[in-house]
Amino acid sequence: MEKIIEVNGLEKIYKKKKTKEIVKAVDGVSFDVYRGEILGLLGPNGAGKTTTIKSICGLLKPNGGSVHINGFDSNKERLKAVNYITAVLEGNRNIYWRLTVRENMEYFAGNRGISKKAIQGKIEELLEFFNLKGKENELVSSLSRGMQQKLAIAIALLPGTDVILLDEPTLGLDVETSYEVRELLKKIVNEQGKTIIISTHDMPIVQEICDRAVIINGGKVIADEKVEGLIKLFETRAYCFTVEDELTNQQIMAIENHFLIVNIIENEINVTLEKEDDLYLIMDILKSEQTKIEKIDRTTVDFEQVFMQLIKEGNNHDSAVASH
C-alpha cells in the first residue's frame, strides 16, 4: 500500500508557565497512514494525541522529528504539505453559525482559493450526498447537531484534498445520526478514494469502520495494528467463569483489584486476563472460599475493552520503568 502520511520520531516539548517544568507531550511518535484507509488515532486525555494531530495539520511546529504528507515535509514545505489535508476539529470550528449552509460552503471554499463560480457544481454534489439540499438556505445556528456535523465534513471535502482528519466526528450525535455519519464516511473512502484519520473516544465507530488503530499514551505509540487483529488477540484472553455460589465481597474486591476488565453478574464472572498466569490467579481467588466452578468459557471482546487493556498495560509498563 502507498504511504500518504509518514510521521517519524515526532517530539513536542512544553514549558509550564508557573513551575517552568519541561513536559514532553509527544515523545518519539512514529506511524504511517496509507492511501485509501480509515485510521483510528486514539489515546486518553493528556496522552499527546491532540498535539500529534495539530503537528500533522501544520498547526504546531514540533521540536523534533518530521511529518511528510504526500512526500512533502510539513516543516520545510508547510503550504505544499497541508494542501493535501483538511481537518474538522472537535466543536465544528470550521463552520460559521450566522451564515447559511450554502454561504458556509462558498466562504470556506474561497478560503482555500477556489472561486464561487468554480465551486458551485461541487457544492450541489455535496448537498445531495449529505442530504442537506433542503437545508441549504437555513442558518447553521438553526440546524441540529447532526446536520452541523455533516456540513462540517462536507466543507472539509470541498477542496478535494486526499486526506480528511476528523476529530470526534460522532460526539453528541444521537444513535441514528451517528450511524448515518459512519455510513457516509465509508462511502467517502470507497467511492471517492479518500484517506480518513479519525480521532475519537467513540470505540464502536473504531470497531465498525477503522481498518487500523494507532494508540498513543504517555506521548508514545503503544499500539499500531489492524483493528480486527487487536480484537482477535484479546479474545484469547477473555473468559467467563460460571460458579455455583455467589462470590464474597472479599473475592469481588480481589478480582476487581487485579483485573481492569471485569463484569460480575450473579454467578458469572467475565474477565479479560493480561497474561496466561492470571488464569491461575483468578482460580486461587475462587479456591480461597471453596467456590465451585461449573464451567469456564472463552468469550468475545469489543474494541473498547481492547483499548482499555492496552492503556492499562502501557501505564503498568511505565510504572515499572520508573521504579527502576
Side-chain angles (χ1 to χ4, degrees), residues 3 90 95 114 117 128 146 160-161 210 255 259 269 289:
K3 296 177 186 177
E90 192 247 308
I95 56 176
I114 309 170
K117 184 178 179 180
E128 291 288 350
T161 58
C210 288
I255 292 171
F259 305 102
I269 309 159
E289 299 290 342

Side-chain angles (χ1 to χ4, degrees), residues 101-312:
V101 169
R102 180 177 286 276
E103 286 170 342
N104 263 278
M105 297 177 85
E106 291 172 347
Y107 174 79
F108 283 102
N111 274 359
R112 295 295 289 248
I114 309 170
S115 71
K116 185 175 178 179
K117 184 178 179 180
I119 203 63
Q120 290 308 311
K122 184 70 172 178
I123 287 176
E124 294 300 326
E125 179 186 321
L126 289 170
L127 287 171
E128 291 288 350
F129 185 82
F130 284 94
N131 296 318
L132 292 169
K133 187 65 179 170
K135 303 287 183 178
E136 63 182 301
N137 295 315
E138 290 190 21
L139 292 176
V140 167
S141 57
S142 69
L143 300 181
S144 67
R145 170 82 187 191
M147 288 284 186
Q148 291 171 359
Q149 188 68 344
K150 287 196 292 181
L151 173 60
I153 298 170
I155 289 171
L157 287 171
L158 274 173
T161 58
D162 294 344
V163 183
I164 314 294
L165 193 153
L166 304 174
D167 187 16
E168 299 290 356
T170 57
L171 183 68
L173 303 186
D174 58 45
V175 174
E176 184 179 351
T177 310
S178 176
Y179 175 79
E180 185 183 1
V181 169
R182 294 181 208 184
E183 292 303 303
L184 287 169
L185 295 180
K186 286 191 280 188
K187 273 188 173 183
I188 289 167
V189 171
N190 295 333
E191 296 179 9
Q192 301 181 27
K194 301 295 183 184
T195 302
I196 295 179
I197 303 172
I198 295 176
S199 171
T200 184
H201 289 91
D202 183 357
M203 294 304 147
I205 191 176
V206 178
Q207 183 167 341
E208 183 181 336
I209 75 171
C210 288
D211 304 298
R212 193 162 53 93
V214 171
I215 301 176
I216 298 173
N217 193 30
K220 299 176 184 289
V221 173
I222 60 169
D224 181 355
E225 301 285 346
K226 292 277 189 182
V227 169
E228 183 181 0
L230 282 170
I231 292 172
K232 284 183 179 178
L233 171 66
F234 280 84
E235 277 181 344
T236 63
R237 305 181 182 185
Y239 290 85
C240 176
F241 293 79
T242 305
V243 296
E244 287 189 2
D245 305 307
E246 287 190 19
L247 303 181
T248 64
N249 289 335
Q250 288 83 358
Q251 285 177 308
I252 292 172
M253 286 180 62
I255 292 171
E256 289 180 343
N257 286 338
H258 280 97
F259 305 102
L260 177 65
I261 312 295
V262 178
N263 185 24
I264 301 173
I265 304 174
E266 295 182 351
N267 291 31
E268 287 191 355
I269 309 159
N270 290 281
V271 62
T272 302
L273 311 180
E274 292 181 44
K275 47 188 182 295
E276 290 182 6
D277 289 352
D278 287 344
L279 187 62
Y280 302 110
L281 175 60
I282 195 167
M283 292 180 77
D284 285 342
I285 293 171
L286 296 176
K287 186 179 178 181
S288 66
E289 299 290 342
Q290 303 300 313
T291 304
K292 292 184 179 179
I293 302 171
E294 289 186 358
K295 61 178 179 175
I296 304 174
D297 296 311
R298 284 268 174 84
T299 57
T300 58
V301 297
D302 57 34
F303 191 77
E304 185 167 5
Q305 291 172 294
V306 171
F307 176 77
M308 291 173 66
Q309 190 70 39
L310 285 168
I311 295 301
K312 184 189 178 189

